[in-house]
Amino acid sequence: MTRLADLTTLHVGGPAQKLIYATGEAELIAAVQEADSNQTPLLILGGGSNVLVSDQGFPGTVVVVQTQGNSYEIDACSGGMLQVAAGVSWDEFVAFTLEKKLANLESLSGIPGTVGAAPIQNIGAYGHEVGEVIARVRAYDRTKKEIHTFTASECGFGYRTSVFKAETDRYVILDVTFQLRRGESSLPVLYAELAKELGVEVGARVPTRELREKVLKIRRAKGMVYEAGSSENIWSAGSFFTNPIVSAALADALPPDAPRFVQPDGQVKLSAAWLMQHAGVAKGEVFGGARISDRHVLALTNAGSGTASDIVELARIAQAKVKAHFGIDLTPEVRFVNI
Ligand SMILES: Cc1cc2nc3c(=O)[nH]c(=O)nc-3n(C[C@H](O)[C@H](O)[C@H](O)COP(=O)(O)OP(=O)(O)OC[C@H]3O[C@@H](n4cnc5c(N)ncnc54)[C@H](O)[C@@H]3O)c2cc1C
């Protein structure tokens, strides 16, 4: 029996009662409908890079989305419109867009997982989010039992959220349409660390391929890429917590060197990594077989023999330290399954 540990980047999780690999859209919808009509619990899985599955596994049907294919039109004026199946590898898709001389996804290079999962938490990195370039999302609505096409404004994109995340499990994403700019010049570089690596000022534009290379270099150094079959992989789900967004009053009470990013509504986004480090959560800290990454404090890792329970406990310890030190709650970015 396949353990879900084999299908997730944290490499933890017990067996699924039933496991289906859906390689076609009709097959995917049929598997979902069958589970729903039998009132069987259902888990949709892409690359398993943002889930923490219980050691007991999943008491129902797990459908792994492996649908493939894309169609695209590239026009001299309006740029590229690309409709991409949910099961396509996210990073292979990003590389494909750069080969086609289309820009705007280069900062999101190296993020593991599938195209279909990208809108769920509105993936983001280096100051850019995927919601900025999504034109449409086609999804099967399990409540209405019909396919609905969401326009970008209907997707409700926000920081690490969307309608698809807010109503967990209601929508099965079938494909995503991206609108990309023609050209080989990147979006402005918004992160100082990346600008330094590129040898440019913050705000500069650079060739998209060069930006991708530098992003991959920085991500690899932090263990933030996950390459199939590579022994260099660190077993994590990327950043385990989101950056908290708090009131201006709460942010003002923090030490002056705490990074602060004022939001359009006046609230302030803080750095979860800074809060952890200054609350006494150390890189390399362990609980059982779980370990805070040596390279990136926000990544909780499975050191090899870790269980889901170990990771949950290490997360709880980190949350308790930040709460005791700063009175701030850290919220997991990772989805807990059957925990
Ligand atoms: C090393 C590493 C680095 C990372 N870096 C980043 C980063 O920089 N930025 C960032 O935003 N994220 C990052 N992540 C998190 C993760 O890669 C993204 O959230 C990614 O989009 C998850 O894709 P997945 O296919 O693996 O989804 P899964 O983990 O399989 O699923 C995640 C959620 O989406 C749901 N889901 C998946 N596919 C579908 C579908 N077709 N329809 C409906 N629901 C679906 C699942 O049910 C689950 O709730 C990182 C993870 C790792 C391991």
Side-chain angles (χ1 to χ4, degrees):
M1 190 179 271
T2 305
R3 288 177 66 236
L4 292 169
D6 298 332
L7 300 177
T8 65
T9 56
L10 267 167
H11 292 258
V12 297
Q17 198 176 305
K18 185 174 179 184
L19 185 63
I20 297 173
Y21 293 90
T23 52
E25 184 176 301
E27 197 187 334
L28 170 59
I29 295 173
V32 171
Q33 285 174 333
E34 187 188 325
D36 286 349
S37 62
N38 296 332
Q39 296 183 324
T40 305
L42 176 72
L43 174 67
I44 301 290
L45 210 54
S49 63
N50 209 22
V51 287
L52 171 58
V53 182
S54 140
D55 298 315
Q56 279 65 52
F58 186 71
T61 303
V62 175
V63 180
V64 184
V65 181
Q66 295 188 330
T67 51
Q68 297 296 311
N70 68 36
S71 61
Y72 58 91
E73 275 172 42
I74 300 175
D75 179 87
C77 304
S78 56
M81 285 292 266
L82 300 92
Q83 186 173 6
V84 189
V88 169
S89 148
W90 172 257
D91 195 50
E92 283 175 21
F93 168 60
V94 173
F96 171 82
T97 64
L98 300 193
E99 274 163 31
K100 293 282 166 204
K101 300 189 180 10
L102 293 168
N104 291 2
L105 287 179
E106 56 281 352
S107 309
L108 306 184
S109 292
I111 299 178
T114 55
V115 166
I120 308 260
Q121 72 154 5
N122 185 19
I123 56 169
Y126 300 102
H128 294 288
E129 293 176 337
V130 74
E132 295 163 26
V133 292
I134 287 180
R136 291 188 295 275
V137 174
R138 246 177 92 250
Y140 175 72
D141 179 344
R142 293 172 62 201
T143 303
K144 292 189 176 166
K145 302 187 192 315
E146 64 186 31
I147 293 174
H148 180 73
T149 299
F150 292 78
T151 60
S153 61
E154 284 177 318
C155 292
F157 289 126
Y159 168 63
R160 295 296 176 279
T161 195
S162 68
V163 289
F164 314 110
K165 185 164 176 181
E167 290 197 66
T168 308
D169 287 340
R170 175 168 172 181
Y171 301 106
V172 180
I173 295 182
L174 303 173
D175 62 54
V176 183
T177 302
F178 300 86
Q179 180 156 29
L180 302 179
R181 177 171 50 87
R182 274 189 77 206
E184 293 188 276
S185 162
S186 74
L187 285 171
V189 178
L190 298 180
Y191 260 56
E193 183 191 13
L194 182 55
K196 190 172 165 216
E197 184 69 41
L198 286 157
V200 299
E201 296 293 316
V202 169
R205 295 174 188 263
V206 299
T208 48
R209 286 174 199 236
E210 191 183 338
L211 191 128
R212 173 174 167 81
E213 270 169 36
K214 297 296 185 199
V215 164
L216 289 175
K217 183 176 172 203
I218 295 173
R219 292 185 70 99
R220 284 197 182 104
K222 292 183 179 171
M224 283 290 112
V225 290
Y226 191 90
E227 282 150 325
S230 166
S231 57
E232 300 292 305
N233 285 335
I234 290 176
W235 291 356
S236 81
S239 299
F240 198 89
F241 300 107
T242 55
N243 289 321
I245 298 179
V246 302
S247 67
L250 191 48
D252 284 347
L254 293 173
D257 59 332
R260 295 170 173 83
F261 309 93
V262 180
Q263 303 298 292
D265 64 359
Q267 297 207 95
V268 182
K269 192 199 276 181
L270 304 172
S271 159
W274 187 95
L275 292 168
M276 286 167 74
Q277 274 171 321
H278 290 79
V281 181
K283 287 181 180 169
E285 187 168 335
V286 295
F287 181 86
R291 181 183 171 91
I292 305 278
S293 169
D294 293 325
R295 306 196 211 165
H296 183 36
V297 74
L298 256 184
L300 272 60
T301 71
N302 172 358
S305 61
T307 60
S309 307
D310 293 341
I311 290 162
V312 170
E313 190 51 28
L314 187 58
R316 201 197 55 73
I317 292 168
Q319 285 172 310
K321 284 187 181 176
V322 170
K323 182 74 175 177
H325 222 84
F326 297 115
I328 291 172
D329 291 307
L330 286 185
T331 306
E333 177 186 308
V334 175
R335 173 170 176 194
F336 285 35
V337 176
N338 196 25
I339 291 175

